[in-house]
Amino acid sequence: MPDVKVETAVGDLPRLPAHVPGTYKDGRKGPMVRVLWPLPTDNSAVLEPGSYTVTGRVAGTSFQPKAIVTVKAAVKSAPPVLKLAAFDLNRVTLKTDVHGHNTQFIANRDKFINTLAATDPNSFLYMFRHAFGQKQPDGAKPLGVWDSQDTKLRGHATGHYLTAIAQAYASTGYDKALQAKFAEKMDYMVNTLYDLSQLSGKAKEPGGSYVADPLAVPYGPGKSTYDSDLSDAGIRNDYWNWGKGFISAYPPDQFIMLEKGAKYGGQKTQIWAPYYTLHKILAGLMDVYEVSGNKKPCKPPPVWATGYMPASAKYRPTRSLKCGTLTLPASLVV
């Protein structure tokens, strides 16, 4: 078995080959031979340029193949050159085929875009209005399934919807009438959510009581604890006690319960991913801002949709906007 030569850079332990070639009787060709190398206990051997030898063994034999390791000075790498870059959706177009016929790509796009254009924003706002005890517009219907009334995840689909209509607006420059529909939907969604958030933490009636501090939200009326009961009989609608700027499709209890150690589950003493839901809403609002310039998501307090932000959460920036840098609890970052 021949010795092998290996190179590495200063500070990096070498990668020794698991198999090395063997020389067999009468010069016959045979399989590579499995070598067991001793594991290094530290990296002292590679802290400066030079060479050293590692002796291995072949199980069941007396062979002791050697690896001669050459440690070379580290070469400073050149700064990376940008090869890929993001581009706006309005720079993407789908062309017909050589015969002027629509392609399957166009058919798929139109199927999705036209279905999205026919959606009713009030369905995606239904549970927000329900949480704030506001009257629903005539004909408004809830989404159902994961955004049904008793589902603790309700409101997250609204975030996805905001992102979808923002992307649809950005990519429908080929049809100005269609693009205008998405512009109208974006404004309606953001303005409604903004108006609801402006109710939170402010007196319902002139001179009435209220709680502006999101970290001082009391129990719901007539309750002795926080809970996630979203039924008509159990949900709290006292938005004036929810802290300034709160927005969600359910009261702030789930956020408070999570920070107090509540478990995930279906009981009213349990929760289901409140920060995930909030993250989706915030992401959708930022997408709308970036394509439309609607600045309401950026109005103070610094990002109005942040709502309940616990003192125990560690804040760090996650995404920058022209109107400022959004900071979220670390648990929101995905």
Side-chain angles (χ1 to χ4, degrees):
M1 296 182 62
D3 294 339
V4 294
K5 295 182 179 180
V6 179
E7 293 184 352
T8 189
V10 169
D12 296 332
L13 290 171
R15 297 176 66 89
L16 302 180
H19 297 81
V20 299
T23 301
Y24 290 81
K25 185 177 181 181
D26 300 329
R28 297 176 186 171
K29 291 184 178 180
M32 300 281 282
V33 182
R34 178 77 169 92
V35 178
L36 302 175
W37 304 101
L39 291 175
T41 57
D42 56 49
N43 68 342
S44 58
V46 296
L47 292 180
E48 56 185 34
S51 63
Y52 65 98
T53 300
V54 180
T55 301
R57 65 184 180 86
V58 177
T61 75
S62 59
F63 291 125
Q64 291 186 313
K66 293 180 174 56
I68 300 161
V69 181
T70 300
V71 183
K72 295 186 174 182
V75 178
K76 290 185 178 180
S77 59
V81 178
L82 181 65
K83 293 184 178 180
L84 297 175
F87 51 84
D88 295 333
L89 286 174
N90 59 14
R91 296 176 60 190
V92 180
T93 57
L94 297 180
K95 296 182 178 180
T96 58
D97 63 20
V98 293
H99 303 293
H101 301 147
N102 286 348
T103 65
Q104 187 62 47
F105 293 109
I106 294 176
N108 291 345
R109 178 201 65 190
D110 291 347
K111 179 181 179 181
F112 178 81
I113 290 292
N114 292 333
T115 301
L116 186 62
T119 55
D120 182 4
N122 287 312
S123 293
F124 294 88
L125 293 167
Y126 194 97
M127 291 305 164
F128 289 83
R129 289 185 171 116
H130 181 259
F132 280 77
Q134 303 299 299
K135 182 181 178 181
Q136 303 288 348
D138 293 339
K141 296 180 181 180
L143 293 175
V145 196
W146 278 10
D147 261 70
S148 60
Q149 180 171 321
D150 294 330
T151 303
K152 296 175 176 59
L153 200 64
R154 69 189 211 179
H156 83 287
T158 302
H160 291 300
Y161 182 68
L162 287 165
T163 294
I165 59 178
Q167 292 181 350
Y169 170 82
S171 61
T172 51
Y174 58 87
D175 186 330
K176 295 302 180 183
L178 189 58
Q179 190 174 45
K181 284 186 178 181
F182 289 114
E184 183 180 350
K185 290 180 189 296
M186 287 191 298
D187 284 344
Y188 185 74
M189 290 292 298
V190 171
N191 291 341
T192 302
L193 292 172
Y194 180 78
D195 289 344
L196 288 174
S197 77
Q198 295 307 290
L199 297 175
S200 183
K202 297 178 182 178
K204 183 179 181 181
E205 306 290 345
S209 62
Y210 63 94
V211 176
D213 183 357
L215 299 180
V217 176
Y219 300 139
K223 297 187 177 185
S224 59
T225 187
Y226 301 104
D227 65 52
S228 56
D229 188 349
L230 301 177
S231 65
D232 287 333
I235 192 171
R236 61 184 297 185
N237 301 121
D238 58 326
Y239 54 79
W240 52 91
N241 289 325
W242 294 357
K244 212 169 187 179
F246 178 86
I247 187 66
S248 180
Y250 42 75
D253 292 51
Q254 284 203 71
F255 297 97
I256 300 170
M257 293 164 66
L258 174 61
E259 294 303 323
K260 292 181 179 294
K263 295 181 179 180
Y264 281 58
Q267 304 301 315
K268 68 180 182 179
T269 57
Q270 298 174 315
I271 58 165
W272 189 3
Y275 284 140
Y276 165 78
T277 303
L278 183 58
H279 177 272
K280 295 298 102 182
I281 298 168
L282 287 170
L285 289 168
M286 288 187 289
D287 287 334
V288 169
Y289 169 80
E290 288 176 351
V291 302
S292 73
N294 189 321
K295 295 183 178 180
K296 281 189 175 178
C298 305
K299 288 184 178 292
V303 177
W304 61 264
T306 51
Y308 177 77
M309 287 301 178
S312 63
K314 294 182 179 179
Y315 293 78
R316 65 187 177 97
T318 60
R319 187 170 175 185
S320 295
L321 298 175
K322 293 178 182 177
C323 60
T325 300
L326 170 65
T327 57
L328 304 176
S331 55
L332 260 69
V333 180
V334 296

